[in-house]
Amino acid sequence: MGKRESQQVAYAVVELEDARDELAASGKDAAPALKRIDDVIARLDGVGSVPRGLPVAEAARYLNVSEPTVRTWLGRGALQRVPGARPVLVERESLREVHRLLSELRERGQDRDWLRTFVDYVHDLAVVRSPEVQKGLADVKAGRLEPA
Amino acid sequence: MAFVVLVAASVRRVVEKDMTTRERRSYDAAVEALKGEGCRAGGKRLMSTDAGDYPMCQRALYGAWRMVTVYRRDGTILIVAVERHLEESVAAALAETFPGLSATGRRRSEQPPCCEDAAAPPTLSDELEAQLAPLYGLPPNPGVTRSQGRSRRARSAGRRRTPRPSGTVA
């Protein structure tokens, strides 16, 4: 199997795992189907040439974000690299975790009021957690205050 | 009524070293407004749980500068930070998270004023905040380590809380 084909199989495995989770969350008694899917995933994982992650470009397509954003998220630890992989591969489980989070945010974001408030909230968190504010709060705790 | 306004030592250094004359003038004007008007001059109230017991507010100063204040129950006002806001990366990540949607915040007139009584401040779970932080480049919550966030996430697998940034959300 060529490199391109093996990447396509890796992408299909990620989608298969997503479908498995959806089925498991549906509340239906799908134990036999889930077991079959798990078996298939295990067999595919057993094929030596199927990578444990997706290349950055494929990860970006899967998450519907740009490649620089995927690289940024790798740098910040939101996504994990497959150790030792060259070129970089994004580890499947971290990719699916971020995908689930983004799907949830995007679904809620259809409500414009919610989205606006969420955007404010993220900006406010960035302020409150900024190093300058944390330094100032540390000064307050330590009593390092002066009249303005 | 005159309010007592105190400034953190780290703020004093920033004001004296990093601000131009014009920026310093806007800072001085904001301080005078706080002394005279109290929280009414504080700008908008920040949504977060990190401020501990005190409400935390942000007021825009000249240019990209902003002032962050907290309010003690005894009426004392503390200026905890004066800094430049550099949130382009946050905005860019938000725009990518919501493709096709305008990821902008509320209009200034819709934002909570500093004096508003936020008896029930909106919160996100620690686990969700831990997940959002690396996506939007937020500094980590000083009260929650990343490993704590991960272990909480693992424990709560299957019962993810949906973000509730405000009471307007069902």
Side-chain angles (χ1 to χ4, degrees):
Chain A
M1 186 162 39
K3 189 177 172 186
R4 180 71 192 147
E5 287 78 17
S6 64
Q7 285 175 357
Q8 285 174 341
V9 173
Y11 196 112
V13 169
V14 171
E15 292 186 309
L16 197 54
E17 288 171 328
D18 285 347
R20 184 213 177 279
D21 288 353
E22 282 174 29
L23 189 59
S26 69
K28 295 174 187 163
D29 180 18
L34 291 173
K35 180 159 188 336
R36 279 175 58 199
I37 293 173
D38 285 340
D39 289 345
V40 171
I41 292 171
R43 284 212 313 272
L44 287 169
D45 275 339
V47 178
S49 57
V50 175
R52 304 291 303 172
L54 299 187
V56 169
E58 292 294 304
R61 185 162 72 93
Y62 174 65
L63 297 175
N64 196 15
V65 298
S66 66
E67 291 182 36
T69 294
V70 169
R71 292 185 191 283
T72 301
W73 288 351
L74 280 167
R76 289 177 187 155
L79 295 169
Q80 306 297 316
R81 292 163 192 262
V82 173
R86 291 284 182 279
V88 171
L89 292 177
V90 185
E91 192 266 323
R92 279 185 348 219
E93 191 49 43
S94 72
L95 199 51
R96 293 177 61 242
E97 193 175 345
V98 169
H99 185 261
R100 281 194 294 269
L101 176 63
L102 290 181
S103 299
E104 186 176 330
L105 292 176
R106 284 166 180 164
E107 191 184 324
R108 299 300 304 266
Q110 298 295 324
D111 177 337
R112 289 180 63 84
D113 287 339
W114 184 93
L115 179 57
R116 283 180 178 165
T117 312
F118 178 76
V119 168
D120 281 347
Y121 188 85
V122 171
H123 281 290
D124 285 0
L125 269 185
V127 174
V128 172
R129 294 196 187 165
S130 72
E132 289 299 327
V133 169
Q134 292 304 318
K135 251 190 274 176
L137 290 174
D139 283 344
V140 170
K141 272 186 192 156
R144 292 189 291 269
L145 293 164
E146 306 162 19
Chain B
M1 175 182 170
F3 292 85
V4 175
V5 181
L6 300 175
V7 57
S10 55
V11 172
R12 176 76 75 200
R13 286 193 292 273
V14 171
V15 170
E16 288 174 357
K17 284 188 182 171
D18 299 342
M19 288 184 127
T20 64
T21 306
R22 189 165 189 178
E23 291 162 350
R24 175 69 191 261
R25 223 179 287 142
S26 78
Y27 166 80
D28 290 339
V31 170
E32 288 309 309
L34 285 171
K35 285 178 179 171
E37 301 168 39
C39 64
R40 278 184 295 161
K44 73 158 189 167
R45 179 168 298 226
L46 295 171
M47 293 186 284
S48 172
T49 58
D50 293 4
D53 292 338
Y54 316 123
M56 187 178 280
C57 298
Q58 173 190 305
R59 173 182 170 135
L61 300 178
Y62 181 77
W65 288 91
R66 65 183 165 208
M67 170 193 277
V68 179
T69 46
V70 297
Y71 298 78
R72 281 179 168 161
R73 289 197 185 87
D74 66 5
T76 311
I77 300 169
L78 311 177
I79 302 172
V80 295
V82 170
E83 61 179 352
R84 287 191 188 91
H85 52 91
L86 304 165
E87 288 160 358
E88 289 82 1
S89 64
V90 176
L94 281 165
E96 289 227 27
T97 307
F98 301 99
L101 296 172
S102 174
T104 55
R106 291 168 297 177
R107 284 189 216 97
R108 186 166 287 189
S109 60
E110 295 171 348
Q111 292 173 348
C114 183
C115 290
E116 188 174 276
D117 179 17
T123 61
L124 299 181
S125 64
D126 285 344
E127 72 211 53
L128 188 53
E129 281 197 13
Q131 286 177 295
L132 292 178
L135 291 192
Y136 300 120
L138 307 173
N141 184 346
V144 179
T145 65
R146 185 149 172 77
S147 61
Q148 278 176 323
R150 278 198 178 136
S151 62
R152 286 179 192 179
R153 223 182 305 164
R155 282 201 301 275
S156 65
R159 57 174 182 84
R160 176 196 297 276
R161 278 174 56 184
T162 304
R164 289 184 295 109
S166 87
T168 59
V169 178

